[in-house]
Amino acid sequence: MSFDVSKKDYEEIYSICSQLIKENKVLGAKIASQFPHIPFNTIQFIYRQCFHRLELEQMSLIKQDIAEFIKLFEQRNSIDAIVESRKLYRPCLIREMLKQKFTIDDKTVEEYINNPSTIPDLRYVQSCNWTSVLEVANHDKIRQALGLEYEYLLKEQLRNLEISFKSEVQSRSEGLLRTPDITLNYPILIRVNEYPLLHSAQKPTDP
């Protein structure tokens, strides 16, 4: 997918998307209407890009100092205070705190979040209150929806270009356990100088 967006517009849209994501809000037509000269699907693309980038940045930051965050929490600092002090993303922080504190896998973290009463520490039960559970659940829904949307757009783009590929379902039916969203049936050459592409993990200002 290629598109032409000025650096100024990109940074403004990216900033708005970042704020929406931190507030667990999706991108709507009302927000997109602020940029009538930019196609809605382009703004959606920037939102997806921002979501994945923010999540990666937050998880890297949180993992780096997770021991400190757990210590602060157990010293009677609230989750809200920790989030505010370091400008953290609450869903990512809660997930990683549970994972590291109780040495559990992602599946068990999911079970704890869906049923906080099963968490073996009362303070963590209280921190995973109704609001926090909703925030994490909403975050997961947005992430899943964006992934499905991106996969759909990728397949449609390949079909429009008449590029042959196998879907993830087809690859799994062949017995492969780890599969990408699509697998090309033959190699292709992309002329980057003619069709400028914006990588999903980069901003135009990145090296």
Side-chain angles (χ1 to χ4, degrees):
M1 181 183 297
S2 62
F3 52 85
D4 185 15
V5 180
S6 70
K7 179 180 177 181
K8 179 178 180 297
D9 282 339
Y10 181 92
E11 290 180 345
E12 187 173 352
I13 294 170
Y14 194 94
S15 176
I16 291 173
C17 289
S18 179
Q19 189 60 38
L20 287 173
I21 293 164
K22 288 177 181 177
E23 295 175 358
N24 266 313
K25 296 180 180 178
V26 296
L27 174 68
K30 184 176 180 180
I31 298 295
S33 66
Q34 298 178 36
F35 305 92
H37 57 294
I38 300 176
F40 184 58
N41 64 341
T42 295
I43 298 175
Q44 286 180 310
F45 184 86
I46 296 174
Y47 179 90
R48 290 194 299 270
Q49 185 185 65
C50 180
F51 184 93
H52 293 302
R53 185 184 182 90
L54 177 65
E55 191 172 52
L56 288 173
E57 289 175 348
Q58 282 285 308
M59 288 308 298
S60 176
L61 174 64
I62 290 169
K63 286 180 179 180
Q64 181 179 338
D65 295 326
I66 190 62
E68 176 188 346
F69 298 143
I70 291 175
K71 182 178 179 181
L72 286 171
F73 180 71
E74 295 185 346
Q75 289 176 343
R76 303 299 175 181
N77 291 280
S78 68
I79 291 290
D80 287 339
I82 297 171
V83 166
E84 183 60 30
S85 67
R86 297 287 290 273
K87 305 301 179 186
L88 302 174
Y89 188 30
R90 183 195 298 270
C92 292
L93 176 62
I94 290 176
R95 279 188 173 280
E96 194 61 24
M97 284 182 66
L98 290 173
K99 189 173 182 179
Q100 296 300 324
K101 170 64 179 179
F102 302 108
T103 318
I104 54 178
D105 57 19
D106 291 331
K107 182 179 179 181
T108 307
V109 170
E110 190 75 24
E111 292 171 355
Y112 279 0
I113 289 173
N114 290 332
N115 188 6
S117 63
T118 61
I119 300 175
D121 186 308
L122 182 59
R123 284 216 68 210
Y124 286 85
V125 173
Q126 294 170 341
S127 72
C128 290
N129 55 32
W130 183 241
T131 302
S132 295
V133 170
L134 286 179
E135 282 189 16
V136 177
N138 191 45
H139 167 80
D140 290 346
K141 287 179 181 178
I142 293 173
R143 179 171 55 181
Q144 182 180 26
L146 290 178
L148 292 173
E149 180 186 6
Y150 183 82
E151 184 177 345
Y152 170 79
L153 291 173
L154 174 62
K155 290 177 180 177
E156 284 300 297
Q157 190 79 353
L158 291 174
R159 291 190 184 102
N160 291 337
L161 294 171
E162 298 183 349
I163 296 175
S164 177
F165 66 91
K166 288 187 294 188
S167 69
E168 186 171 15
V169 173
Q170 290 173 312
S171 296
R172 286 182 177 173
S173 69
E174 295 176 0
L176 300 176
L177 297 179
R178 295 186 178 183
T179 55
D181 291 337
I182 63 99
T183 303
L184 299 179
N185 288 327
Y186 52 83
I188 62 172
L189 176 66
I190 300 175
R191 296 181 179 179
V192 178
N193 60 324
E194 290 188 20
Y195 302 97
L197 301 178
L198 184 60
H199 192 278
S200 62
Q202 291 181 317
K203 294 168 61 177
T205 53
D206 288 342

